[in-house]
Amino acid sequence: MRYVVGITMDNRGRDAVSLALALAQTTLTSHRVELDLVHVLRGVPPEQAGSKPEREYQKLCLEEAEQWMAKTHDLVPKTIRSTTSVHFADSMAAGLIDKATSRPCDLIIVGAASHGPLRRFTIGSVANALLHSSPIPVALAPSGYLPPSRLTRLSCALGMRPGAEVALNVATQSSVLHDVPLRLISLIALDSRTEDVERTDAARDHAKKLLLRASQSVEDATEVMVDVALGRSIESAIEKLTWDDGEIVLIGSSRLAKNRSIFMGTTANKMLRSLPVPMVVVPRYHAADFISDNGISI
């Protein structure tokens, strides 16, 4: 497996490395992870610059980036295979996608915007671009994220609309891969309408069906549980759930997303405002494509 980790010259880069280590260190030994630490510089390499001043400037930027990447590489234990590189592109998001798609890649990992509150998300321009265009799952580490000794649980937020099956399949395979329990969560925002009782009952029934399906899928490989959280908003529903320090949440893309692409919907955006743990967003796949890829895990 291969993770592309977006490195910036601030705390976001450290947060991304912390999440990459948390994932890599709990992956089954049969699926060893390679961390591809990538820093992206805007523009073209020095040798392709059009003028001498531009060549000199790009050369200085490259030297500074390489020194930073050497320090970042020291954060990765020698037991984990890792490489560093500096890539030139029009934007960091474009550069990370270029590197991720250059050969098989399972996940792009980035940190939240550096001005976000501790252990919460503030989406910066890089993460925002990735979460609306990446063809590869994207993991977002909250500000100030510290790697736990190991992952303790994978949660999967599932709605009732078509398309949830892909997220469920990725979640079940990933929970087995990392040898952690799987929690299926259904978030229900209530108001004063009489239909709320019917919506709640329908959500609980749907969650039970997904629980049965997931349990059958993993057989005895891991534990599967379900939580239905009610609140006056998605944010308040999330706050009623308990969260482990070693937990990660996985969600699917909006039904508006193109095939094999991420598009983060309204509910996911609301979740980010309250989540205290990392989030992984999975691209939308047509069923046939998902099956032809022999499944996807992170």
Side-chain angles (χ1 to χ4, degrees):
M1 299 185 71
R2 173 175 172 249
Y3 298 159
V4 167
V5 187
I7 304 300
T8 53
M9 294 186 186
D10 54 24
N11 290 335
R12 288 178 297 165
R14 184 178 290 272
D15 294 337
V17 172
S18 293
L19 179 53
L21 294 179
L23 286 163
Q25 290 172 332
T26 56
T27 305
L28 297 180
T29 55
S30 58
H31 292 74
R32 294 293 294 273
V33 174
E34 172 193 353
L35 302 185
D36 195 347
L37 310 179
V38 180
H39 180 75
V40 179
L41 291 174
R42 289 194 176 188
V44 297
E47 62 273 15
Q48 297 179 16
S51 64
K52 183 177 180 180
E54 184 181 359
R55 286 194 296 273
E56 292 298 323
Y57 176 75
Q58 291 295 75
K59 184 178 180 180
L60 287 174
C61 291
L62 178 59
E63 291 175 352
E64 182 183 15
E66 289 176 340
Q67 291 174 4
W68 182 268
M69 293 301 285
K71 295 179 181 178
T72 302
H73 194 243
D74 290 339
L75 299 175
V76 181
K78 297 188 182 303
T79 53
I80 298 177
R81 183 181 176 187
S82 61
T83 60
T84 64
S85 63
V86 179
H87 186 70
F88 289 85
D90 292 336
S91 68
M92 183 169 180
L96 292 176
I97 291 175
D98 286 345
K99 290 291 291 185
T101 55
S102 63
R103 57 190 180 92
C105 177
D106 300 276
L107 191 64
I108 297 175
I109 304 174
V110 295
S114 56
H115 57 275
L118 184 65
R119 299 303 298 270
R120 288 294 190 273
F121 291 95
T122 299
I123 301 298
S125 58
V126 175
N128 185 64
L130 289 171
L131 294 174
H132 290 87
S133 63
S134 176
I136 291 168
V138 172
L140 184 61
S143 178
Y145 182 72
L146 298 175
S149 56
R150 63 169 283 113
L151 294 185
T152 56
R153 184 167 62 186
L154 175 64
S155 285
C156 180
L158 297 167
M160 297 178 63
R161 291 175 174 171
E165 295 81 5
V166 169
L168 178 61
N169 288 341
V170 175
T172 54
Q173 294 180 51
S174 299
S175 65
V176 173
L177 176 65
H178 293 281
D179 190 26
V180 294
L182 171 62
R183 177 174 65 159
L184 309 180
I185 57 176
S186 179
L187 305 172
I188 307 173
L190 302 175
D191 54 33
S192 58
R193 297 177 302 175
T194 57
E195 304 94 78
D196 279 345
V197 175
E198 295 179 0
R199 290 174 57 233
T200 302
D201 290 342
R204 293 187 187 280
D205 290 341
H206 182 64
K208 290 178 182 178
K209 291 178 182 178
L210 293 177
L211 175 62
L212 177 60
R213 175 178 170 181
S215 299
Q216 293 173 338
S217 175
V218 301
E219 296 180 342
D220 295 326
T222 190
E223 178 187 1
V224 184
M225 64 200 78
V226 65
D227 260 339
V228 178
L230 313 178
R232 291 296 173 186
S233 65
I234 293 296
E235 295 90 336
S236 63
I238 285 177
E239 290 173 357
K240 291 182 178 179
L241 293 171
T242 58
W243 301 97
D244 293 345
D245 289 339
E247 186 165 5
I248 289 178
V249 173
L250 185 147
I251 66 169
S253 290
S254 166
R255 67 188 187 284
L256 301 177
K258 297 179 181 179
N259 187 38
R260 293 177 177 265
S261 181
I262 285 178
F263 188 89
M264 194 167 66
T266 303
T267 300
N269 272 296
K270 292 179 179 178
M271 289 180 65
L272 279 174
R273 299 172 189 168
S274 300
L275 274 179
V277 298
M279 171 184 274
V280 177
V281 184
V282 178
R284 178 175 178 265
Y285 293 92
H286 291 155
D289 292 332
F290 188 85
I291 293 172
S292 67
D293 285 341
N294 296 315
I296 297 167
S297 56
I298 56 98

